[in-house]
Amino acid sequence: MPESSETEVLVLVGSLRAGSVNRQIAELAIQEAPEGVRLRLFDRLGERPFYNEDSDNDQVAEPGRALRQVAGEADAALVVTPEYNGSIPGVLKNAIDWLSRPFGNSALKDKPLAVIGAALGRYGGVWAHDETRKSFGIAGPRVIEDVKLSVPVATLDGKHPRENAELVANLRDVIGKLAAEVGNPVAV
Ligand SMILES: Cc1cc2nc3c(=O)[nH]c(=O)nc-3n(C[C@H](O)[C@H](O)[C@H](O)COP(=O)(O)O)c2cc1C
């Protein structure tokens, strides 16, 4: 567990694209975190091998070990993801599989987790967000079902997400509600 009294939130992004809108939203969330809440982006999902039960043993190599370690240090998790073909991007699903083991004792077990993100479609990736909630709900975390934010990319008008005041306010609301679930309410 972290040494500080800050609430530590692990942030996972379901896109590896350099210009990813979801990554921009994740970075904005990090900036907008209220005092007492620290968001930490795990930036190495793309380096991870596909989950293989045969190699999931005491010698788990990096970055599989690193993801579990940062997840273990976190009090909560925020997932920011696009939708790929109506579902969860493979890189994120692979991370869920890694984080689902050891079964019954995973690093995010019982920790609050919220899922948000942006996609091109008119519903902002809601299928991917619902399925990510479903899958993480089986994997161990305590999914916060009523914290939702699915952003159609068109609503950003081609600008950086920080330019959208409504999105900034919604992000603050998401972080505040997620942190409150840790039992550490914060003013937002
Ligand atoms: C392989 C692939 C599949 C996609 N499938 C969907 C989809 O099912 N629904 C949707 O709204 N957008 C879909 N998109 C468009 C993404 O929502 C869009 O590229 C988004 O900006 C990706 O997020 P990013 O900017 O964070 O990389 C898809 C994009 C790719 C590359």
Side-chain angles (χ1 to χ4, degrees):
M1 294 298 286
E3 288 171 17
S4 73
S5 59
E6 284 195 320
T7 297
E8 300 266 350
V9 180
L10 169 67
V11 182
L12 301 175
V13 175
S15 170
L16 302 178
R17 197 167 71 87
S20 163
V21 173
N22 286 278
R23 190 193 174 88
Q24 290 174 349
I25 291 173
E27 289 168 350
L28 183 59
I30 291 168
Q31 281 171 25
E32 294 296 328
E35 199 172 327
V37 182
R38 192 166 80 102
L39 273 64
R40 185 176 176 192
L41 178 65
F42 183 80
D43 210 10
R44 300 176 61 193
L45 291 188
E47 299 170 34
R48 308 171 51 68
F50 285 119
Y51 182 82
N52 181 342
E53 216 174 338
D54 286 340
S55 51
D56 191 1
N57 50 39
D58 290 345
Q59 279 84 47
V60 171
E62 295 286 9
R65 195 167 61 232
L67 176 60
R68 286 177 176 165
Q69 185 175 333
V70 292
E73 290 166 1
D75 301 303
L78 177 67
V79 181
V80 190
T81 187
E83 180 173 279
Y84 277 3
N85 298 301
S87 190
I88 308 172
V91 69
L92 177 60
K93 182 59 170 61
N94 189 39
I96 296 174
D97 294 338
W98 274 100
L99 286 170
S100 71
R101 294 295 186 271
F103 179 69
N105 191 27
S106 58
L108 288 177
K109 184 173 163 45
D110 296 333
K111 296 178 183 177
L113 177 143
V115 180
I116 64 170
L120 271 187
R122 73 168 73 171
Y123 302 112
V126 73
W127 282 341
H129 302 153
D130 284 347
E131 293 193 1
T132 302
R133 279 187 275 271
K134 181 184 79 173
S135 190
F136 262 122
I138 294 167
R142 178 165 57 89
V143 173
I144 309 303
E145 294 286 348
D146 59 352
V147 173
K148 293 184 176 172
L149 184 58
S150 299
V151 182
V153 169
T155 62
L156 301 176
D157 292 329
K159 298 179 189 149
H160 191 284
R162 78 169 84 87
E163 310 283 328
N164 188 305
E166 186 183 346
L167 175 58
V168 172
N170 287 337
L171 271 180
R172 287 183 184 150
D173 189 51
V174 163
I175 301 164
K177 285 178 174 158
L178 181 60
E181 290 289 338
V182 179
N184 184 18
V186 288
V188 289

